[in-house]
Amino acid sequence: ADDNRAGTYLDRLMIKYDKANATLSEEAGLARSYVGHIINGKREPSRDALIAIYLAMRTSLEELQDLLKYAGHAPLYVERETLLYGLGS
């Protein structure tokens, strides 16, 4: 079993969306070391941090839900997906 599913998945998303750690960290308002520790499994990401990463990376809502699930957090309840994207602007 992969104990670092969230970090592994985040790493894959960063490749897919072409986001370097420094860029993602800055855009999400998180410390670069914190994001690095999530990726390498040294830190458990908070739910708020994962949502900030989602907004900075503009992943799909489904990818955010997977990331939350892999990190052991409850899924986000969203009535309208457009509401969430409005938070990032």
Side-chain angles (χ1 to χ4, degrees), residues 10-56:
L10 175 56
D11 192 45
R12 287 204 332 251
L13 290 175
M14 288 171 67
I15 294 166
K16 176 181 176 181
Y17 289 96
D18 195 26
K19 287 283 186 183
N21 185 341
T23 308
L24 178 61
S25 301
E26 182 177 336
E27 292 176 0
L30 302 168
R32 190 184 307 186
S33 60
Y34 180 69
V35 174
H37 288 158
I38 293 170
I39 293 167
N40 65 30
K42 291 183 180 174
R43 290 285 303 269
E44 294 289 327
S46 72
R47 197 166 188 266
D48 287 349
L50 294 177
I51 293 169
I53 287 169
Y54 157 76
L55 291 169

